[in-house]
Amino acid sequence: MRFDGTRDYVATEDLKVAVNAAATLRRPLLIKGEPGTGKTVLATEVAKAMGAPLIEWHIKSTTKAQQGLYEYDAVSRLRDSQLGDERVHDISNYIKRGKLWEAFTAEQTPILLVDEIDKADIEFPNDLLQELDRMEFFVYETGETVRAKERPIIIITSNNEKELPDAFLRRCFFHYIQFPDAETMQEIIDVHFPDIQKELVKEALSIFFDMREVPGLKKKPSTSELLDWLKLLMHEDLPLEVLKSRDPKKLIPPLHGALLKNEQDVMLFEKLAFINRREGRQ
Amino acid sequence: MFLNFFTELRAARIPVSLKEHLTLLEALKSDVIGKRVEEFYYLSRSTYVKDEAMLDRFDQVFGKVFNGLETSFDQETAEVPDEWLKQLAEAVFSEEEMKAIEEKGFDEIMEELKKRLDEQEGRHEGGNKWIGTGGKSPFGNSGYNPAGVRIGGKGGQGRAIKVWEKRAFKDLNDDVEIGTRNIKVALRRLRKFARDGAQEELDLDSTIRGTANKGYLDIVMRPERRNAVKVLIFFDIGGSMDGHIRTCEELFSAASSEFKNMEYFYFHNMPYEAVWKDNKRRWSERIPTFDILHKYPHDYKLIFVGDASMSPYEVSYPGGSVEHWNEEPGEVWLRRMTDVYHSAVWLNPIPEKHWQYGQSVQMIKTLMENRMYPLTLGGIEEAMRTLTRSH
């Protein structure tokens, strides 16, 4: 199983090496990077490329490590016992399998996506150390050990909100998705909008990279925002001249709502436009 | 295999362990990558480095081990404008030589310059790619350290710069980038969860236990769990701090949203007998420092933010303040405050390497028992760690 990018996803060479190393040695791959650089999408695309099923586990601040293994539904067992249901005698009827269990027992080697692991409690990664290392865990209620038939390929994403423990990091491969340079960005756009006008893209790209250079932006626009913006531009069918004009009076690009998500950033741009206009008059 | 690389990484304080080294060997054995050195670079990077702040340092070590470059990762290699190098070249070469070289282009100048410097100082044997002027300091007046100035790889010979030589991750070094969100993450280290206040959350475990014990539904409530750490922040304002306003603003906004129990005050240069909360009314509405010491209990954490750059008299003499007549010297007040609040730190927006040049910085650092940290992400994290340790 090798990953070489897909039709819809442009993978840089270092990313391919990292994914292939993780897939060959079956160690978890930890992905970090700016928001909107395609961390989560990576898992979907790896699954697609390898023809493997994808199991997604989205982490929230309330998620516990145990929920990934299994949960014991005591309440419904209590209710069933009141109603005299036959199922009540077998405790395994009330064990709900978690995502890790699902991944360990899947027929075909799956890709397990643990999305935004940093959202959970600080202790969360530590609670999963053994499980990720040995790929097995013990179910106390039934006394059975769940062991992975074949070690799943695990992709973990993090937004750096919390530092992850060293012991956890040691077990992972790590890749930091860098913000794509202009060349890679062009490739990404070609993949998403094959029939878009070349000129339009060129203008849009240069506006986009200029915007990222503006100092003091709270949230720099990222790849996913650029793709949204292009979609809008195509939909509105704006004449190319509008983008091209680069009129100092209109510093704010058309349909900027897709790129700037923060009213302070929009204000900053308006201020810059105002300064430009004043300078233009002199 | 590659043990040398491994020890070099550890020497560069990149936290790698034997486990990662074995993983790398295992990956090599199972033919994850081809025979190209770039692929080996990518593989070893993703095995050894787990923190994007370390990527730049890794690139440097990799370059050193596999290319035989001499690098020093403690010294920041300054980006030197071309004009300065040209000026340096003018100092070294005669006019005719300059003209001759100019026809060849800038890269050639650099080649020549390198040769010339080698000859003059006799310490650059072996044709290194780096110019380290060491003792001679041509840029001394401008206040830049020329040691380790890098002059563009193997330019002029038509060879592409290698991936790790690009050092594309330089921006992510953890003492450079700073922003509200990053500061918040750093401040989060200072957390002390406690349950106090109104009881508004259902305590499920106690409820079940209570119900089982009593035989009827016994609902137990408890207060919500929240960050109970209490912080006093003192900002130095005005004068030499004007250049650091942006960083201070970011720290302030991050701190006020992260700490629920936070009080802030302003002072100028040194905290004396009074501080203020509104800079516009700094003369009319002053708060006596004694009132603060009496009002807030000693379990508050104390954070000073200031450049600690002033006349040494302000620290150690009565009447040393630039703004008013102070009966007692600044150090007395600082000591009084740190006596009441044992866990205290001083965050200094001036880069750490410049501290040694300021007498007052050294004095205050000693007064703070060395608990002075630079106002960078790394510095804030370390400061928060100190605050968590001491009680």
Side-chain angles (χ1 to χ4, degrees):
Chain A
M1 286 211 262
R2 282 196 85 79
F3 175 68
D4 287 307
T6 58
R7 225 155 20 98
D8 304 324
Y9 191 86
V10 179
T12 50
E13 199 178 341
D14 45 348
L15 179 60
K16 283 181 215 160
V17 170
V19 171
N20 285 327
T24 315
L25 298 191
R26 297 293 158 87
R27 299 264 160 81
L29 173 64
L30 175 66
I31 300 279
K32 276 199 212 170
E34 261 183 65
T37 38
K39 295 189 291 291
T40 310
V41 187
L42 174 72
T44 334
E45 294 302 326
V46 171
K48 221 189 276 174
M50 295 184 173
L54 175 69
I55 299 173
E56 292 175 67
W57 185 16
H58 298 284
I59 309 295
K60 291 184 227 158
S61 64
T62 49
T63 308
K64 297 270 175 333
Q66 184 65 30
Q67 293 170 348
L69 311 178
Y70 67 93
E71 277 178 295
Y72 170 44
D73 188 357
V75 175
S76 54
R77 190 168 186 217
L78 182 69
R79 191 198 55 211
D80 284 356
S81 76
Q82 302 285 311
L83 299 173
D85 197 311
E86 270 308 300
R87 279 159 32 98
V88 81
H89 299 295
D90 187 3
I91 195 165
S92 61
N93 284 332
Y94 302 96
I95 303 277
K96 278 191 186 161
R97 296 177 172 204
K99 299 285 182 190
L100 271 176
W101 190 331
E102 238 178 83
F104 285 177
T105 52
E107 284 304 309
Q108 199 190 346
T109 317
I111 312 279
L112 173 65
L113 167 68
V114 183
D115 204 13
E116 314 207 25
I117 194 167
D118 53 327
K119 293 273 179 297
D121 192 73
I122 299 174
E123 288 305 316
F124 179 87
N126 277 334
D127 294 345
L128 284 179
L129 283 183
Q130 276 299 3
E131 286 73 13
L132 291 181
D133 210 21
R134 295 227 209 113
M135 302 266 181
E136 65 175 44
F137 60 89
F138 184 72
V139 185
Y140 292 96
E141 279 77 4
T142 56
E144 66 175 312
T145 304
V146 178
R147 196 167 287 134
K149 278 187 247 166
E150 199 163 347
R151 293 168 72 97
I153 299 167
I154 303 182
I155 295 180
I156 302 169
T157 72
S158 162
N159 273 325
N160 232 0
E161 281 188 26
K162 287 189 193 84
E163 212 170 300
L164 300 170
D166 282 346
F168 177 79
L169 291 175
R170 264 185 213 122
R171 288 165 168 81
C172 303
F173 282 101
F174 173 78
H175 182 75
Y176 182 83
I177 298 192
Q178 246 196 316
F179 195 80
D181 52 10
E183 237 171 81
T184 320
M185 195 55 104
Q186 182 77 47
E187 270 180 61
I188 293 174
I189 291 171
D190 289 347
V191 158
H192 284 266
F193 307 105
D195 49 348
I196 197 168
Q197 300 173 43
K198 279 273 168 307
E199 296 257 325
L200 178 81
V201 176
K202 224 174 101 193
E203 286 304 321
L205 263 185
S206 81
I207 292 179
F208 172 75
F209 277 102
D210 281 352
M211 268 177 97
R212 277 184 61 90
E213 292 296 312
V214 171
L217 276 191
K218 294 233 172 215
K219 162 84 179 71
K220 288 183 182 170
S222 68
T223 317
S224 63
E225 272 126 25
L226 172 69
L227 294 180
D228 285 347
W229 187 48
L230 284 176
K231 213 182 284 169
L232 264 182
L233 286 178
M234 275 164 70
H235 183 76
E236 294 284 318
D237 225 2
L238 277 181
L240 188 57
E241 285 67 45
V242 179
L243 278 182
K244 239 182 182 169
S245 66
R246 291 296 180 91
D247 190 344
K249 282 177 198 151
K250 290 183 197 142
L251 192 83
I252 302 193
L255 305 167
H256 62 265
L259 291 173
L260 299 171
K261 301 283 174 69
N262 189 312
E263 72 277 7
Q264 274 143 309
D265 287 349
V266 178
M267 278 204 345
L268 180 76
F269 260 78
E270 274 164 0
K271 235 183 265 169
L272 285 174
F274 176 72
I275 294 170
N276 269 18
R277 213 172 307 158
R278 208 172 42 187
E279 279 173 0
R281 209 178 290 156
Q282 279 168 2
Chain B
M1 219 173 151
F2 301 120
L3 260 185
N4 179 29
F5 186 29
F6 179 70
T7 41
E8 286 289 341
L9 285 171
R10 285 197 69 92
R13 296 195 304 280
I14 296 175
V16 292
S17 68
L18 200 60
K19 180 159 179 99
E20 278 132 340
H21 192 63
L22 293 177
T23 310
L24 177 69
L25 296 184
E26 195 187 333
L28 288 173
K29 205 172 146 200
S30 45
D31 284 333
V32 174
I33 52 163
K35 296 280 178 278
R36 281 169 50 225
V37 64
E38 279 87 3
E39 284 178 303
F40 175 70
Y41 161 71
Y42 293 140
L43 179 68
S44 54
R45 192 178 77 192
S46 104
T47 323
Y48 284 133
V49 187
K50 304 293 160 69
D51 179 1
E52 62 272 25
M54 292 286 162
L55 286 174
D56 180 45
R57 202 178 281 179
F58 176 83
D59 285 359
Q60 293 180 60
V61 175
F62 192 92
K64 183 183 167 191
V65 173
F66 293 97
N67 286 15
L69 298 176
E70 275 172 29
T71 325
S72 114
F73 27 81
D74 282 326
Q75 273 169 333
E76 182 59 23
T77 53
E79 298 268 341
V80 177
D82 291 352
E83 297 88 72
W84 296 5
L85 290 171
K86 273 195 181 128
Q87 272 173 12
L88 174 63
E90 273 163 25
V92 176
F93 298 114
S94 68
E95 242 177 71
E96 299 93 71
E97 277 175 316
M98 274 304 284
K99 260 186 206 152
I101 302 165
E102 242 158 45
E103 288 162 11
K104 294 182 197 164
F106 185 68
D107 287 339
E108 292 288 312
I109 299 185
M110 293 336 296
E111 281 294 309
E112 286 290 321
L113 176 62
K114 195 179 80 187
K115 272 187 216 151
R116 188 55 60 95
L117 286 176
D118 284 352
E119 284 164 21
Q120 279 192 347
E121 296 184 15
R123 56 158 81 186
H124 290 271
E125 304 93 348
N128 273 326
K129 284 193 274 179
W130 306 77
I131 290 188
T133 53
K136 197 180 169 192
S137 178
F139 307 123
N141 283 338
S142 329
Y144 282 82
N145 182 0
V149 166
R150 182 175 177 188
I151 307 178
K154 292 187 177 173
Q157 296 175 7
R159 262 186 71 178
I161 296 179
K162 296 199 179 63
V163 197
W164 53 92
E165 282 188 340
K166 279 195 224 156
R167 291 185 54 194
F169 293 96
K170 219 172 148 204
D171 283 350
L172 297 171
N173 230 325
D174 75 347
D175 37 45
V176 187
E177 189 191 7
I178 198 156
T180 324
R181 190 173 172 74
N182 294 326
I183 298 176
K184 269 193 217 167
V185 177
L187 291 177
R188 266 186 208 170
R189 286 193 168 277
L190 189 58
R191 270 184 171 177
K192 203 171 78 191
F193 284 113
R195 296 181 184 281
D196 52 21
Q199 304 197 333
E200 46 200 13
E201 194 183 78
L202 175 70
D203 184 347
L204 193 60
D205 288 340
S206 304
T207 304
I208 292 172
R209 206 177 309 122
T211 307
N213 283 343
K214 295 190 174 127
Y216 58 84
L217 196 61
D218 177 31
I219 287 176
V220 183
M221 303 293 278
R222 66 180 172 194
E224 212 179 320
R225 188 166 163 261
R226 49 169 78 94
N227 195 355
V229 76
K230 292 177 273 188
V231 185
L232 287 176
I233 301 191
F234 288 80
F235 285 96
D236 183 356
I237 198 145
S240 51
M241 284 298 288
D242 284 351
H244 308 292
I245 282 181
R246 199 189 141 89
T247 336
C248 290
E249 273 177 356
E250 284 177 343
L251 177 71
F252 181 79
S253 84
S256 51
S257 68
E258 190 57 39
F259 304 127
K260 295 282 174 298
N261 301 316
M262 185 190 97
E263 287 295 337
Y264 64 92
F265 301 96
Y266 296 117
F267 64 96
H268 186 62
N269 281 352
M270 273 302 266
Y272 296 107
E273 63 279 353
V275 291
W276 57 93
K277 284 206 82 148
D278 185 341
N279 207 33
K280 270 185 221 135
R281 277 168 283 176
R282 57 187 295 185
W283 296 114
S284 50
E285 289 177 20
R286 293 171 81 87
I287 305 157
T289 311
F290 263 131
D291 285 4
I292 294 173
L293 296 184
H294 293 151
K295 183 173 173 188
Y296 300 101
H298 67 274
D299 59 342
Y300 266 81
K301 315 264 182 195
L302 188 60
I303 302 174
F304 289 103
V305 182
D307 58 1
S309 304
M310 63 199 94
S311 136
Y313 293 107
E314 291 203 49
V315 183
S316 52
Y317 278 86
S321 166
V322 284
E323 292 193 324
H324 69 299
W325 178 263
N326 53 311
E327 294 291 337
E328 288 167 301
E331 63 178 344
V332 171
W333 281 105
L334 192 60
R335 217 167 257 146
R336 253 178 213 149
M337 293 169 85
T338 47
D339 279 349
V340 173
Y341 306 109
H342 294 291
S343 79
V345 291
W346 188 295
L347 292 172
N348 195 332
I350 301 179
E352 198 170 355
K353 60 181 172 191
H354 298 316
W355 291 0
Q356 47 176 316
Y357 304 117
Q359 197 187 346
S360 58
V361 180
Q362 288 302 323
M363 289 166 83
I364 289 175
K365 198 176 167 197
T366 321
L367 280 172
M368 292 298 297
E369 289 152 359
N370 277 330
R371 288 172 297 180
M372 183 183 276
Y373 301 92
L375 189 48
T376 58
L377 281 189
I380 294 176
E381 275 188 23
E382 218 162 294
M384 294 305 126
R385 223 173 280 154
T386 314
L387 287 180
T388 336
R389 264 202 301 270
S390 50
H391 291 288

